[in-house]
Amino acid sequence: MKLQIAAFRFDVTPPLGHSLCGGWIPAAAQIEDSLEAIGFVLLSDQRPIVICSVDWTGLCNSAHFQLREALAKAAGTTAERVAVQCVHQHDAPFACLETDRIVRAQGDLPPNMDPEFFKVCLKRSDSAVRKSLKTARRLTHIGAAESKVEKVASNRRLLDDSGKILKNRSVAASSDDVRDLPTGVIDPWLKTVAFYDGREKVAACYYYAVHPISYCCQEGHVTSEFVGHARRLKEQHDSPDCTHLYFTGCAGNINTGKYNNSSYKENRQVLTQQIFQAMEQASEKLRPEPIKTLSWKTADFLPPVNKTFSAAQIEKQINDHSRKVVHRNRPAFTLAWLRRHAQKTPIILSALHVNQISLLHLPAEPFVEYQLRTQVLQSDRFVATAGYGDGGPWYIPTAEAYFQGGYEINVAFSGPQVDGILMKGIQNLFLS
């Protein structure tokens, strides 16, 4: 099997004044560090495959599709063979073109996205991929390993004795009263998958399930956060010819709340070091093996809309000028999803299978249980899961979480049936 890999990267740092995290936190006032989209193209005797990680809060609906389509066109493939996952930093753009049109029509709401800046990013993606194809490397081996991350992730949904939400553990200083409570259900392992040209590592992917938030949402300081900083540290300590990608796993109910207090900026450096150390330790365990099999699987996913949502009622909320910005902007995301759902436009789930290693790409903000279940069901495989693909439906809780209640349930655009539908879709990706 003759394979090649072409790594690319391009800048997606928003201009000053651009909205961040959907427009309900301060707009970009300072660039602390740049944001990037980093990915690679896999070339074989079949159509190319593209995998890309973006330092944005999210990409929803047509914005997600347009970036996939742009990458596909540049690589000479189809959008169904492209996976685009966001890292989900909050001091970053949250792109939904439909939401932007809805809020701009109000006249008094901050825009969601600058469409012209988005077009610039699409052009940069095209240029970066086409340039990378000219220097594609031979791809012969793959390796996978994992290392436990210490004192970073905690489950943010704290339950009382009746099984209902007691409190949502926050990274804010006000959550000190729950900081000593147990960590809860997490996936403590950072997974690493690396691609090689002979003995030389040319691309490395890192996967960890935690909201990448340390200090955010207060000053408009654009940043790739502690996970982006860890990735850059790894770049400095590794081969200069290796491209490094970071993916946030199923972190819908996972944050740093137990181990971080966002009133202290220095915590970002502590978290950076914890992630970096896990990257280093996992890298030391890598044992590359020849690539013998490679396949790409996809499945459609379109869960039913949460019955509590009414398009007419949501439009009233958006039109109510007495409501806070966040209570008008967020419903605009909901309305965008309802309109898409009415058109029956599905999300594409995808997985890359190489030997006994699988890279799983899921949409929106899935709860950590989805990746834990998948690892159990596919126990004969090394499964690395990336969440935050197409962000259209926002949170994807488990079925039992709907009984428990809490913030995530209130802003999940799908009903409890989403659990079984997503698990069936994931299982289909592993069928031979």
Side-chain angles (χ1 to χ4, degrees):
M1 181 184 302
K2 291 184 178 181
L3 299 171
Q4 289 182 299
I5 184 169
F8 62 86
R9 65 199 308 154
F10 55 96
D11 186 79
V12 292
T13 309
L16 295 180
H18 196 282
S19 68
L20 304 177
C21 200
W24 54 80
I25 68 172
Q30 179 179 323
I31 309 301
E32 287 198 7
D33 54 280
S34 61
L35 307 184
E36 294 183 280
I38 307 173
F40 56 83
V41 183
L42 295 179
L43 302 164
S44 66
D45 55 357
Q46 301 179 1
R47 285 182 172 178
I49 295 166
V50 184
I51 295 176
C52 182
S53 171
V54 184
D55 284 334
W56 281 0
T57 310
L59 275 156
C60 304
N61 305 314
S62 67
H64 186 265
F65 177 76
Q66 286 184 35
L67 181 52
R68 284 172 43 230
E69 192 172 43
L71 293 168
K73 184 178 179 180
T77 188
T78 62
E80 289 70 26
R81 294 176 72 82
V82 177
V84 173
Q85 313 298 124
C86 288
V87 180
H88 197 60
Q89 302 96 334
H90 279 29
D91 286 312
F94 193 175
C96 180
L97 300 177
E98 291 80 9
T99 295
D100 186 60
R101 285 190 284 269
I102 292 169
V103 298
R104 284 181 187 271
Q106 291 295 308
D108 66 329
L109 288 175
N112 167 265
M113 186 74 196
D114 179 350
E116 294 306 311
F117 169 60
F118 186 68
K119 290 178 183 178
V120 168
C121 292
L122 294 181
K123 291 179 180 178
R124 289 174 181 170
S125 74
D126 180 274
S127 176
V129 170
R130 293 182 188 277
K131 182 179 178 180
S132 75
L133 295 176
K134 297 177 182 178
T135 56
R137 297 285 299 272
R138 183 183 61 155
L139 175 59
T140 62
H141 291 67
I142 189 170
E146 62 184 10
S147 180
K148 185 171 287 188
V149 178
E150 301 291 344
K151 296 184 178 180
V152 172
S154 58
N155 198 295
R156 69 185 192 181
R157 291 169 56 81
L158 302 173
L159 305 180
D160 61 21
D161 292 339
S162 69
K164 297 283 190 175
I165 286 293
L166 170 68
K167 190 168 185 177
N168 193 295
R169 179 154 44 196
S170 171
V171 298
S174 60
S175 65
D176 283 341
D177 57 325
V178 296
R179 206 166 303 283
D180 291 334
L181 293 180
T183 299
V185 176
I186 66 169
D187 186 344
W189 298 94
L190 179 140
K191 295 180 180 291
T192 299
V193 177
F195 299 86
Y196 296 80
D197 176 356
R199 295 184 177 182
E200 186 174 356
K201 184 167 57 175
V202 294
C205 303
Y206 308 95
Y207 301 79
Y208 184 60
V210 70
H211 258 70
I213 303 172
S214 57
Y215 182 88
C216 83
C217 311
Q218 300 176 47
E219 300 172 343
H221 290 189
V222 174
T223 175
S224 61
E225 265 287 358
F226 65 93
V227 295
H229 295 180
R231 182 188 69 214
R232 291 190 175 101
L233 267 180
K234 185 60 178 167
E235 289 173 348
Q236 296 169 14
H237 287 76
D238 213 311
S239 165
D241 295 324
C242 181
T243 298
H244 300 266
L245 299 80
Y246 178 88
F247 296 90
T248 297
C250 296
N253 53 343
I254 307 295
N255 68 9
T256 62
K258 181 174 174 61
Y259 304 105
N260 177 59
N261 181 327
S262 66
S263 65
Y264 300 105
K265 293 185 179 181
E266 57 266 27
N267 282 353
R268 179 175 293 169
Q269 299 306 315
V270 175
L271 297 171
T272 295
Q273 286 297 322
Q274 297 293 72
I275 297 294
F276 170 66
Q277 288 300 324
M279 289 176 170
E280 289 278 81
Q281 292 164 8
S283 297
E284 292 173 359
K285 301 176 185 178
L286 290 169
R287 300 294 181 267
E289 61 183 40
I291 295 176
K292 297 180 179 179
T293 62
L294 185 150
S295 64
W296 180 259
K297 298 286 186 178
T298 62
D300 286 355
F301 172 67
L302 188 65
V305 170
N306 192 324
K307 293 181 180 179
T308 63
F309 289 125
S310 159
Q313 187 62 35
I314 291 171
E315 287 187 33
K316 288 183 180 179
Q317 295 173 3
I318 299 169
N319 293 330
D320 185 351
H321 291 231
S322 67
R323 294 168 64 90
K324 293 182 179 180
V325 168
V326 66
H327 295 145
R328 296 172 66 201
N329 270 16
R330 282 182 180 173
F333 279 91
T334 313
L335 185 59
W337 173 254
L338 295 183
R339 290 175 176 175
R340 170 183 174 169
H341 195 278
Q343 297 173 351
K344 305 298 182 185
T345 305
I347 285 171
I348 304 297
L349 311 178
S350 65
L352 173 67
H353 304 297
V354 185
N355 296 350
Q356 289 300 108
I357 300 168
S358 296
L359 309 186
L360 176 62
H361 311 111
L362 300 182
E365 297 200 52
F367 278 22
V368 72
E369 284 84 355
Y370 288 105
Q371 75 180 46
L372 294 173
R373 290 179 196 165
T374 302
Q375 288 165 184
V376 171
L377 292 172
Q378 305 298 329
S379 58
D380 60 330
R381 305 190 65 82
F382 184 98
V383 181
T385 304
Y388 300 91
D390 188 331
W394 273 38
Y395 283 90
I396 304 182
T398 56
E400 59 268 24
Y402 286 84
F403 162 79
Q404 298 164 353
Y407 162 75
E408 298 87 354
I409 306 308
N410 295 331
V411 293
F413 300 165
S414 302
Q417 306 94 324
V418 68
D419 189 322
I421 295 172
L422 180 57
M423 285 307 302
K424 182 178 180 180
I426 291 172
Q427 290 172 331
N428 287 339
L429 296 176
F430 288 88
L431 295 177
S432 57

